Amino acid sequence: MIGECLCGAVRITLAGAHEPEIGACHCRMCQQWTGGLFLCFEAAPEAVTVTGPVTRHMSSSFAERAFCATCGSHLWMRDTDRADASYDLMPGLFDAALGWPLGSEIYSDCAMPAARLAGDHATRTRAEYEAAHNHVEGDDA
């Protein structure tokens, strides 16, 4: 499976384990990064090969967000506190992911009115997610 940024300068090749469903996040940091709603799918690090001009931004003490240095397309978010951390890749980069279903949604209670998602998928509120995962303190959504 191959994905590309808007200008084609960055190519992501996926050869191995990945989740064929989309996850959504409505935390304030993701809202700021994407303009409203972060969508991703998970891929094992050993399955991902990236070529091209990538810029990484440490968005917290434990995670990076990456984008194409040429066109600015968002590429992934990834925990940096674990060497085996999976990639949360942007599904819009991959033609093969365009028909995948929404499988999960976090920070569902923080969704902007224009980005509320309907459907039968797993949801977690801010409190539910933060009770079990790393998060940014004071990320008031």
Side-chain angles (χ1 to χ4, degrees), residues 1-3 12-16 18-19 41 47 89 94-97 100:
M1 196 163 95
I2 296 173
I12 302 173
T13 303
L14 207 59
H18 63 278
E19 290 294 323
F41 70 97
L89 296 167
F94 299 85
D95 289 344
W100 291 356

Side-chain angles (χ1 to χ4, degrees), residues 16 24 59 63 69 73 77-78 90 131 134 139:
S59 58
S73 292
M77 188 184 92
R78 185 172 189 221
M90 305 298 267
N134 281 341
D139 182 20

Side-chain angles (χ1 to χ4, degrees), residues 74-106:
H74 299 167
L75 304 171
W76 69 77
M77 188 184 92
R78 185 172 189 221
D79 286 353
T80 56
D81 57 354
R82 295 186 0 250
D84 66 341
S86 61
Y87 286 81
D88 289 334
L89 296 167
M90 305 298 267
L93 303 172
F94 299 85
D95 289 344
L98 297 179
W100 291 356
L102 179 62
S104 63
E105 179 181 10
I106 59 174

Side-chain angles (χ1 to χ4, degrees), residues 43-89:
E46 64 275 4
V48 176
T49 302
V50 180
T51 58
V54 174
T55 298
R56 292 167 173 82
H57 169 70
M58 289 300 298
S59 58
S60 70
S61 63
F62 59 87
E64 71 177 12
R65 295 172 191 255
F67 57 93
C68 171
T70 303
C71 69
S73 292
H74 299 167
L75 304 171
W76 69 77
M77 188 184 92
R78 185 172 189 221
D79 286 353
T80 56
D81 57 354
R82 295 186 0 250
D84 66 341
S86 61
Y87 286 81
D88 289 334
L89 296 167

